[in-house]
Amino acid sequence: MTLYRQLVIFTLVLFLILFTGTWVVTFNSTRSFLINQLESHAQDTATSLGLALSQRAIEKDKAGIESMIDAVFDRGYYRTIKFVDIEGKVILERNLAVAVENVPAWFIDLAPLDAPEANANVMAGWRQAGRIYVKSHPGYAYHALWEDGARMTLWFVACGIFVFLFGGLGLRFLLKPLVLVQRQADAICRKEYESQEPLPRTKELRQVVIAMNRMTGKVKEMFEEQAVFAEGFREHAYRDPLTGLGNRRYFEAQMRARQEQGEGAGGGILLLVQIHDLQQLNRQRGLQAGDELLKAASLILQGTAQPYPNCILARLTGGDFALFLPDSPTWEAPQIAEEMASALSRLAERKLSVAENVTHIGVVTCDVPTAFGSLLSESDLSLRTAQQKGPNAWHVRGISKETERLPAGEQQWKRTLEDVLQARRIRLDGQPVVRTEDRSECLHIEIFSKIVRGEDGEEFRAELFLPFAERLGLVSLLDRVVLEEAMRLDRRQLGVDTVAVNISPTSLNDDVFRDWLSAALKALPPSAPRFAFEFAEFGAIRNLASVKEFRENIQQWGHLMALDHYGQSLSKLSYLRFLRPDYVKVDRAYTEELKDASSDSRFYMGSLCSVAHSIDVMVIAEGVETEEQLELLRGLNVDGMQGYAIDRPKPMAENPAGR
């Protein structure tokens, strides 16, 4: 119960006690007065009647005595008039039954008026002829007492209503600073820092508000220090780059010459580099600024290519570059791509670009002769996948039996995806996410989707078809089919209440998809699992408003919203407070670098946990592959883990009890 209600109730109780006491005292006083009036009235009547009857007694006029008594009694103010002789014999008696109109019987029983009987002597000369007895009728006294009590009760009720209304308003006004203090405390829980102005005039409340404002400022300062500390580690991992050398014709001619000489391009590494925001840079700063950016990027690419003889480096068009490193071992590709992305990202620090997101790099490795067209197609798909990961990201694909069987070109992909969606050939795999402190406790199962091609039953992972689904505008339909399949799962068979499903932020911009999802979530049966909707961090940042609105809608039905691949973006941590996800999954790149207690990744993840926990956001590590990583994560206060060290993805039919 709130303090305001307690004070209102306390005030009303005090008023009720005061009213009851005053009412009882006043009521008893009025009752005593009326009893005295009845006694005085009876005594006056008895005295006057005794004197009047004395003359009749001397004359022994019995008829006159009776007529005088009847005359007095018929006035109706008397209950009993009785005349007795000196021996006590009743000579004449008149009685009237007590009948009180317009007064409840319970009131008469509650407040009896026992009017005393008055008497006076009737003299016949010097001797006593008898005695007259008179008792007043209480009807009028009851009526007066009832009306007086009713008026007093109505008056107190009116006063009580007045006290309740205006006293409540007064208390609300006086307690307003405490209500604002409560809002401040709630805001701090939401990691929103508000100061209360102006200060209240009441001395005690003023001191409380000053202390609360001071605490709010300190908490805000602590959070900002933690955020800056964490952002420093993240910016250490990522930057931005770009410019041009040869042209597209030069590059294609060189590649085809090698193809003709060796019946297909030999093994090696192809890197497709894309520099962003050239047009915006040219509009804002002029063409010279764009040229400077391209030249700086070309110097970096030349530095990367210098250790590799016979390499091919060219500017294809605009901000697109290609670097082919023939006969290079495929295991060097991640290191080359990481060094190149890091070097290019540093151009943003030199203020040569308009944004931190300078580049994306798509990498293809092959250890067998591969057609030039296949290399370009695969590098383009790898570039699209990198763009989904976040700013200055890179992605490596290998030419394998699976990729050789992929549909070639957008039109084939479109036909394949449309056929899959129509026939609903979707397969769901699941991988458990467990609590770090207790691996036997499953937090949720993350669902991974695969599509199955109709003609040969070939399965393709999400990373292979999602870029084309995005480009072809089919991603919301794909998300819907995956969710419909997931909604058929039974939490009792899974052994866990929550399943995590990745959906594209692009789907949130589809009105049809949003309406369907809202209706589907409302209609979920009790056996259906609770859903944790995961968004890739880079996509969520680009759609902050729609993702936040989505979170607010699904939370009313008990579902969760989370960020996946957290740490790939260079955005500030302030968006975390804006989005308020239930948890974040740290990108596996940080987990892979978690090798010992002195690694930068360890410090970054530790500071990230501190910031996230301060705003009630759980932290889950992806890509946990070794027991050493697991032990280090325990020491960093990470809430959950996911990876091969826990369990591999399995078909959902094989996932009872979260395993």
Side-chain angles (χ1 to χ4, degrees), residues 464-527:
L464 298 176
F465 60 80
L466 275 180
F468 285 103
E470 290 272 4
R471 291 163 62 181
L472 296 170
L474 299 174
V475 70
S476 60
L477 293 175
L478 189 62
D479 284 341
R480 175 170 177 171
V481 172
V482 172
L483 285 171
E484 285 176 342
E485 294 298 321
M487 288 176 181
R488 295 190 177 96
L489 298 173
D490 191 325
R491 70 169 74 189
R492 294 166 297 187
Q493 296 178 0
L494 292 176
V496 65
D497 290 335
T498 306
V499 295
V501 180
N502 278 271
I503 64 174
S504 172
T506 306
S507 298
L508 302 184
N509 299 322
D510 186 334
D511 294 338
V512 176
F513 176 83
R514 288 202 316 270
D515 294 341
W516 166 81
L517 184 57
S518 296
L521 292 177
K522 291 179 183 178
L524 278 180
S527 60

Side-chain angles (χ1 to χ4, degrees), residues 15-285:
F15 178 81
L16 181 62
I17 293 173
L18 177 63
F19 159 73
T20 304
T22 304
W23 192 92
V24 169
V25 170
T26 305
F27 182 83
N28 288 332
S29 177
T30 302
R31 179 171 171 270
S32 298
F33 172 77
L34 290 174
I35 291 175
N36 290 334
Q37 287 294 99
L38 290 174
E39 182 181 7
S40 176
H41 176 259
Q43 187 62 56
D44 291 344
T45 300
T47 301
S48 60
L49 191 58
L51 291 174
L53 292 178
S54 295
Q55 184 61 35
R56 301 296 182 184
I58 294 174
E59 298 173 359
K60 296 183 179 180
D61 184 1
K62 186 175 182 181
I65 293 173
E66 182 176 356
S67 62
M68 291 183 69
I69 292 176
D70 288 342
V72 172
F73 185 78
D74 288 343
R75 295 172 62 188
Y77 297 120
Y78 305 98
R79 181 177 180 182
T80 302
I81 298 179
K82 181 171 60 174
F83 178 56
V84 300
D85 58 16
I86 57 176
E87 296 178 353
K89 181 180 177 181
V90 176
I91 297 175
L92 184 65
E93 182 177 5
R94 295 289 185 267
N95 293 298
L96 180 64
V98 176
V100 183
E101 297 180 357
N102 300 323
V103 179
W106 61 266
F107 183 78
I108 296 175
D109 296 335
L110 178 68
L113 294 175
D114 296 327
E117 189 178 56
N119 62 84
N121 292 329
V122 178
M123 306 299 293
W126 294 102
R127 64 182 180 84
Q128 182 179 351
R131 182 174 288 276
I132 189 77
Y133 292 92
V134 178
K135 180 180 287 189
S136 297
H137 197 288
Y140 296 102
Y142 274 122
H143 191 269
L145 186 62
W146 167 253
E147 287 188 345
D148 187 69
R151 284 194 298 269
M152 186 166 52
T153 301
L154 289 176
W155 169 249
F156 276 109
V157 169
C159 290
I161 294 174
F162 179 84
V163 169
F164 177 76
L165 294 178
F166 291 93
L169 291 176
L171 284 175
R172 189 178 294 277
F173 175 77
L174 293 174
L175 295 177
K176 184 178 179 180
L178 290 182
V179 175
L180 295 178
V181 167
Q182 177 190 354
R183 293 179 183 175
Q184 275 186 287
D186 292 338
I188 290 176
C189 293
R190 300 191 302 269
K191 297 304 173 287
E192 298 172 359
Y193 308 106
E194 304 172 355
S195 293
Q196 187 178 155
E197 297 291 345
L199 299 176
R201 296 181 179 180
T202 306
K203 181 178 179 180
E204 291 80 5
L205 293 178
R206 186 183 185 91
Q207 296 301 321
V208 171
V209 171
I210 290 174
M212 193 66 183
N213 287 346
R214 189 183 301 116
M215 185 185 71
T216 300
K218 289 293 184 182
V219 174
K220 180 180 180 180
E221 183 180 341
M222 290 170 57
F223 176 82
E224 290 176 348
E225 288 177 355
Q226 289 179 332
V228 170
F229 187 67
E231 288 168 0
F233 282 115
R234 184 159 58 181
E235 290 186 7
H236 176 75
Y238 293 95
R239 300 296 176 191
D240 316 31
L242 45 127
T243 246
L245 300 168
N247 56 27
R248 186 181 189 90
R249 181 178 300 176
Y250 167 79
F251 182 76
E252 291 179 353
Q254 292 293 319
M255 291 295 291
R256 287 197 172 95
R258 293 174 183 270
Q259 184 178 16
E260 292 174 358
Q261 291 174 1
E263 299 181 351
I269 302 171
L270 174 62
L271 299 99
L272 192 60
V273 181
Q274 188 176 74
I275 305 300
H276 300 304
D277 299 317
L278 278 177
Q279 293 182 355
Q280 183 179 358
L281 180 63
N282 291 335
R283 287 196 303 269
Q284 292 182 2
R285 304 179 188 176

Side-chain angles (χ1 to χ4, degrees), residues 406-407 409-417 464-465 468 472:
L406 286 176
E410 279 193 5
Q411 292 305 314
Q412 289 191 19
W413 268 111
K414 183 177 181 180
R415 288 193 295 270
T416 298
L417 290 173
L464 298 176
F465 60 80
F468 285 103
L472 296 170

Side-chain angles (χ1 to χ4, degrees), residues 390-633:
N392 304 315
W394 50 269
H395 185 74
V396 177
R397 294 173 59 84
I399 299 295
S400 63
K401 294 181 179 179
E402 184 181 38
T403 56
E404 288 292 336
R405 293 193 297 270
L406 286 176
E410 279 193 5
Q411 292 305 314
Q412 289 191 19
W413 268 111
K414 183 177 181 180
R415 288 193 295 270
T416 298
L417 290 173
E418 289 177 346
D419 178 65
V420 166
L421 291 172
Q422 184 177 4
R424 303 180 69 89
R425 286 194 295 271
I426 300 289
R427 170 182 161 180
L428 302 184
D429 290 348
Q431 186 178 35
V433 176
V434 300
R435 190 173 294 280
T436 306
E437 295 300 325
D438 184 5
R439 294 169 61 178
S440 64
E441 181 181 352
C442 183
L443 297 175
H444 63 258
I445 295 177
E446 180 173 0
I447 292 178
F448 302 98
S449 59
K450 294 181 178 180
I451 63 172
V452 182
R453 187 161 54 185
E455 61 256 23
D456 55 9
E458 189 70 29
E459 293 183 350
F460 302 117
R461 302 186 305 274
E463 63 181 15
L464 298 176
F465 60 80
L466 275 180
F468 285 103
E470 290 272 4
R471 291 163 62 181
L472 296 170
L474 299 174
V475 70
S476 60
L477 293 175
L478 189 62
D479 284 341
R480 175 170 177 171
V481 172
V482 172
L483 285 171
E484 285 176 342
E485 294 298 321
M487 288 176 181
R488 295 190 177 96
L489 298 173
D490 191 325
R491 70 169 74 189
R492 294 166 297 187
Q493 296 178 0
L494 292 176
V496 65
D497 290 335
T498 306
V499 295
V501 180
N502 278 271
I503 64 174
S504 172
T506 306
S507 298
L508 302 184
N509 299 322
D510 186 334
D511 294 338
V512 176
F513 176 83
R514 288 202 316 270
D515 294 341
W516 166 81
L517 184 57
S518 296
L521 292 177
K522 291 179 183 178
L524 278 180
S527 60
R530 181 175 65 161
F531 284 90
F533 295 94
E534 295 185 358
F535 296 90
E537 182 193 29
F538 185 54
I541 294 173
R542 297 169 67 181
N543 298 270
L544 280 176
S546 57
V547 173
K548 182 184 180 183
E549 180 183 1
F550 177 75
R551 175 189 65 81
E552 294 171 349
N553 290 334
I554 64 171
Q555 280 188 337
Q556 62 183 316
W557 301 306
H559 302 288
L560 310 177
M561 189 277 289
L563 297 179
D564 200 9
H565 305 307
Y566 183 80
Q568 290 180 342
S569 172
L570 288 175
S571 299
K572 303 298 182 183
L573 285 174
S574 58
Y575 83 88
L576 267 187
R577 282 194 291 156
F578 180 79
L579 282 183
R580 310 287 299 183
D582 292 282
Y583 63 86
V584 294
K585 285 186 175 178
V586 184
D587 186 66
R588 64 183 304 125
Y590 294 97
T591 308
E592 290 174 355
E593 293 179 1
L594 195 64
K595 300 175 181 179
D596 54 54
S598 61
S599 66
D600 288 342
S601 178
R602 178 182 181 276
F603 293 111
Y604 169 70
M605 294 186 71
S607 60
L608 171 62
C609 287
S610 179
V611 172
H613 290 163
S614 71
I615 55 175
D616 298 326
V617 176
M618 293 179 61
V619 178
I620 296 173
E622 296 179 324
V624 181
E625 311 292 345
T626 66
E627 290 294 329
E628 291 76 11
Q629 291 173 334
L630 192 150
E631 291 301 323
L632 287 172
L633 289 172

